[in-house]
Amino acid sequence: MEMVNLTINGKQITAPQGSTILEAARANGIYIPTLCYDEAVEVYGACGLCVVEAQGVPKLLRSCSSKVSEGMVIETESPRVVESRKIAMELLMSAHDGDCVAPCQLACPANTDCQGYVGLIANGDFEGAIKLIKNKIPLPASIGRVCPHPCEKACRRAKVEEPVNIAQLKAFAADLDLKGDSYLPPVKAETGKKVAIVGGGPAGLGAGLYLRTAGHQVTIYDMMDKMGGMLRYGIPQYRLPKEVLDSEIAIIEKVGVKMVNNCKLGRDITLEQLKAENDAVILAPGAWKSSPMGVKGEDIQGVYGGIDFLRSVIQGNPAQIGEKVAVCGGGNTAMDACRTAVRLGAKEVYVVYRRTEKEMPADELEIKESKEEGVIYKFLTNPVEIHQENGKVCGMTLQLMELGEPDASGRRRPVAIEGKTEYLPLDSVIMAIGQKLDSSDFENTVELTQRGTILTDEDTFMTDIEGVFAIGDATNKGASIAIEAIGEADRCVKVVDAYLKGETLDFAPKYLSKRDEDRIDVSGKEKKPRTVAKVLDAEVRKNSFDEVSLGLTVEEAQKEASRCLECGCREYFKCRLLSVAQRYDINPERFAGEMPQKYTRDENSFIERNTAKCILCGLCVRSCKEVVNISAIGLLGRGFKTSVSPAFALPLDQTNCTNCGLCVKLCPTGALTEKSNMAKQVPLDEDYSLETVTVNGKDCELLVSRYNSKVIRAVPNNDNARNCGLSRDELISLVESKVK
């Protein structure tokens, strides 16, 4: 057996004469990307990604077909090589029409795998669903009830009729979990590191849970008598029963997170103390101060901030609002305030909003249910003065408005109609236009922004103090929705975990393939009505704080979950195309043009084909011909419009396909996927087995993969096997003869 000496990336190695550069590199743990190469079939060289640069050779070589030679010097990641691979990937991705991740997941600030848990619910795997949900959401039963669900706004099912009811499906799975033995996320080995968190709201609780499961000791300090933050003190009981919140917090505590209540930063503890006693500190204090409107008379008795008003009710000491109440604002806090005022017995409750209903940011369901409960809306009106009598609110003058040009938010700007006002007699006014951090608690501790929030790095969440991080409503741009605070907590935990280990993270965004929304055709989809949980009758619910929603039944949940279009790719976690795409900084848009293939699906009982995701690597065609000897599929057409198809473009069911699944296993994209029942019926191994053969008296370890007992791969696993001098086909024959 003759060996040759060569150098790859400065590493001197030996390889059998006649082997390829790719084989030599792989045998020595050197990565060279390829999408069209597999040991099971003959070399094809279609993808162009395996190119390398050889010293003294003017052109780049395809390592899958170029043989090694004595003294060869190879570079696998030179600037020329990288640029060539980038162009190759950009060309491939410019004709790849598919979503790596579903739009619902991309729209979720916590990056929750909505499609994943919705699919599990549809299949009746409720335990699997809650495990997947809790990967990203620490309080799913609570969040499922209160989240304004940006995921649903991105749901493509809306192109058919209505979006999937993702939020209530999340609450359904979480409620089932709370009724049984609640799932506890596993905790990794203890690291000995300690982290203090200031604030027990959704951000603080989320960070606490995920740091604890990473093996760190965590203590959460909160100034209120109970944990939960705005979920407890800013969301009414009828929307989020505090018993549900308590149960979810108890799970976090059971995992091992220590919780300390009635402990306020600056009063009971200092930042210096926390830094001295811990390896890292996370500030998540929330935004507890109601934002003023700047309206004349807003300091009169009977004017309340939205958050202050809601907190007074939840703490059992409701503000005295009288019979006629106006709530100023158009968000969900305004909805909570007006509906709470109804439940406190107010006879006339108004919502004053300066735009129209169409522009209101509040959830449509909240607006609908509030109207059913008797709330009166005063659209295109804006407070200009609050009046008093005997030191108390007696009424408010409203400026009538009209809509002008769109502002920075895209909504049409409200413009005052000169000389037109309206007087509204009132007993109280609730200002629900926003909330902010009480910056006096953090003066002379950490650096603040001009708007009075804690200044943090957008990537690392680090404040101006080493080892002190900040997340949630108290930081940078200010208050937002709970799911966004949870998303920040998840990302911050990764940074803090790396910080505690002395590591750094790469914050560069990862490439994802996304479909052009304008090109998506759903005209053939069957229309199925959206299933929404039943609610208490308006006349019943407006007289109590009982939970309004009755939740989904098992049958309703599975029916609703089955409406999911499954936009995201099922091969996402093992897609080799995506793996290579994310390795290089690619920009496929510069080659954008007519897509060569129509987005179509062809399937049989076991296999689904999505031609739009195909990159014409040829692995399916070659394996079907060379390994299985069937040739059920082939290359149809020429040039740019070439496609992989059965003969005469027949459906798979009308070919001699045996559903072996080999093409699915080799496909580097999501163009070929197996149906859920395929794995149970097709005897195709997913993993290699380790086997030993003897060559020239030496034991050679091989990683072997079989199809229907036939060996299709035999990959060297030790030096004896790598240097045995036998070709791939000879190794395969040797393994087969050994079995016989």
Side-chain angles (χ1 to χ4, degrees), residues 689-726:
S689 61
L690 185 63
E691 301 187 24
T692 303
V693 295
T694 302
V695 180
N696 297 327
K698 294 183 178 180
D699 288 339
C700 297
E701 290 183 355
L702 301 172
L703 291 170
V704 177
S705 184
R706 288 181 168 81
Y707 156 67
N708 285 352
S709 300
K710 179 180 179 180
V711 178
I712 60 174
R713 294 181 183 83
V715 182
N717 192 53
N718 65 357
D719 288 338
N720 288 343
R722 295 187 191 103
N723 301 325
C724 68
L726 299 182

Side-chain angles (χ1 to χ4, degrees), residues 233 290 303-315 317-321 325 327 333-334 336-342 344 428-432 545:
Y233 297 103
S290 294
V303 179
Y304 307 98
I307 294 301
D308 303 323
F309 166 66
L310 293 170
R311 184 165 65 246
S312 73
V313 176
I314 292 166
Q315 290 181 309
N317 185 30
Q320 301 302 307
I321 57 174
V325 182
V327 177
T333 299
D336 289 340
C338 71
R339 297 181 71 184
T340 296
V342 169
L344 290 179
S428 60
V429 177
I430 299 171
M431 299 289 193
F545 281 88

Side-chain angles (χ1 to χ4, degrees), residues 152 162-165 168 365 368-369 529-535 549-553 556-557 559-560 563:
E152 294 182 23
E162 293 182 278
V164 175
N165 193 350
Q168 288 192 338
L365 184 62
K368 174 180 176 291
E369 291 184 352
R530 173 180 164 107
T531 303
V532 179
K534 295 179 177 63
V535 297
S549 175
L550 301 179
L552 296 170
T553 65
E556 288 172 336
K559 179 182 177 182
E560 177 60 17
R563 295 176 62 239

Side-chain angles (χ1 to χ4, degrees), residues 32-33 49 51 76-77 81-89 584:
I32 297 177
L49 290 171
V51 294
T76 68
E77 294 284 340
V81 168
V82 170
E83 186 60 27
S84 177
R85 289 178 186 164
K86 284 177 61 174
I87 292 173
M89 279 304 305
Y584 301 101

Side-chain angles (χ1 to χ4, degrees), residues 4 48 77 87 176-177 181 187 259 415 426 434 444 484 494 500 513 553 597 627 637 650 663 678 683 686 709 728:
V4 298
E77 294 284 340
I87 292 173
L176 282 183
D177 180 60
D181 294 328
V187 177
M259 301 182 185
V415 179
L426 298 167
N444 304 318
E484 187 161 332
K494 293 180 174 62
L500 295 174
S513 174
T553 65
Q597 303 168 75
V627 179
L650 292 170
C663 58
M678 180 179 174
E686 283 295 329
S709 300
R728 173 178 61 85

Side-chain angles (χ1 to χ4, degrees), residues 199-408:
L205 289 168
L209 174 64
Y210 297 127
L211 281 168
R212 179 66 198 125
T213 56
H216 308 304
Q217 296 179 42
V218 182
T219 304
I220 302 177
Y221 300 88
D222 193 88
M223 66 180 182
M224 304 300 287
D225 56 343
K226 289 187 176 182
M227 294 286 170
M230 285 300 164
L231 290 179
R232 181 179 299 280
Y233 297 103
I235 306 292
Q237 176 78 6
Y238 68 83
R239 268 219 297 152
L240 173 54
K242 300 308 173 276
E243 300 80 13
V244 172
L245 180 61
D246 288 338
S247 297
E248 296 201 296
I249 293 173
I251 292 173
I252 296 175
E253 195 168 20
K254 191 173 182 179
V255 171
V257 177
K258 183 179 178 182
M259 301 182 185
V260 180
N261 286 103
N262 297 308
C263 186
K264 182 176 173 64
L265 187 69
R267 183 190 68 192
D268 306 299
I269 52 173
T270 66
L271 187 56
E272 289 75 15
Q273 283 178 292
L274 294 179
K275 270 186 60 62
E277 296 170 2
N278 295 273
D279 299 290
V281 178
I282 298 177
L283 302 176
W288 290 81
K289 189 174 181 179
S290 294
S291 300
M293 286 193 72
V295 175
K296 184 179 179 181
E298 67 180 328
D299 56 348
I300 297 172
Q301 183 180 344
V303 179
Y304 307 98
I307 294 301
D308 303 323
F309 166 66
L310 293 170
R311 184 165 65 246
S312 73
V313 176
I314 292 166
Q315 290 181 309
N317 185 30
Q320 301 302 307
I321 57 174
E323 295 187 346
K324 297 181 179 181
V325 182
V327 177
C328 300
N332 285 330
T333 299
M335 296 300 96
D336 289 340
C338 71
R339 297 181 71 184
T340 296
V342 169
R343 284 160 175 75
L344 290 179
K347 305 300 183 186
E348 296 177 20
V349 178
Y350 302 91
V351 169
V352 176
Y353 183 59
R354 59 182 184 159
R355 291 183 168 96
T356 69
E357 181 174 347
K358 182 180 179 181
E359 286 80 33
M360 283 188 74
D363 188 273
E364 290 181 12
L365 184 62
E366 290 289 309
I367 299 171
K368 174 180 176 291
E369 291 184 352
S370 68
K371 287 181 178 179
E372 293 171 352
E373 294 166 8
V375 174
I376 304 164
Y377 282 80
K378 306 287 288 184
F379 294 114
L380 290 171
T381 60
N382 199 39
V384 291
E385 183 177 357
I386 300 171
H387 303 281
Q388 62 176 310
E389 186 176 290
N390 300 322
K392 296 181 179 180
V393 170
C394 66
M396 182 165 58
T397 297
L398 303 176
Q399 173 68 60
L400 273 60
M401 316 289 288
E402 62 183 356
L403 294 181
E405 296 299 317
D407 60 15

Side-chain angles (χ1 to χ4, degrees), residues 437-557:
L437 171 72
D438 187 348
S439 56
S440 62
D441 292 342
F442 291 89
E443 290 175 353
N444 304 318
T445 54
V446 293
E447 185 177 355
L448 303 179
T449 67
Q450 289 184 341
R451 62 192 302 173
T453 55
I454 300 172
L455 179 65
T456 68
D457 182 273
E458 294 287 351
D459 290 325
T460 67
F461 303 96
M462 184 88 79
T463 67
D464 62 320
I465 302 175
E466 173 71 21
V468 177
F469 305 81
I471 54 176
D473 289 349
T475 65
N476 294 346
K477 63 183 180 181
S480 185
I481 55 179
I483 192 66
E484 187 161 332
I486 287 172
E488 282 198 4
D490 178 62
R491 297 191 299 276
C492 181
V493 163
K494 293 180 174 62
V495 175
V496 173
D497 183 57
Y499 172 81
L500 295 174
K501 296 174 180 176
E503 302 170 351
T504 57
L505 298 179
D506 178 12
F507 298 106
K510 299 293 186 183
Y511 176 82
L512 291 174
S513 174
K514 301 174 187 176
R515 294 195 67 199
D516 182 350
E517 295 291 336
D518 294 334
R519 298 182 67 253
I520 298 173
D521 181 11
V522 295
S523 58
K525 298 294 181 182
E526 178 187 356
K527 291 189 176 183
K528 300 177 182 179
R530 173 180 164 107
T531 303
V532 179
K534 295 179 177 63
V535 297
L536 294 175
D537 183 80
E539 289 302 315
V540 174
R541 68 180 188 249
K542 73 179 187 179
N543 293 309
S544 80
F545 281 88
D546 291 343
E547 185 172 12
V548 169
S549 175
L550 301 179
L552 296 170
T553 65
V554 170
E555 293 76 16
E556 288 172 336

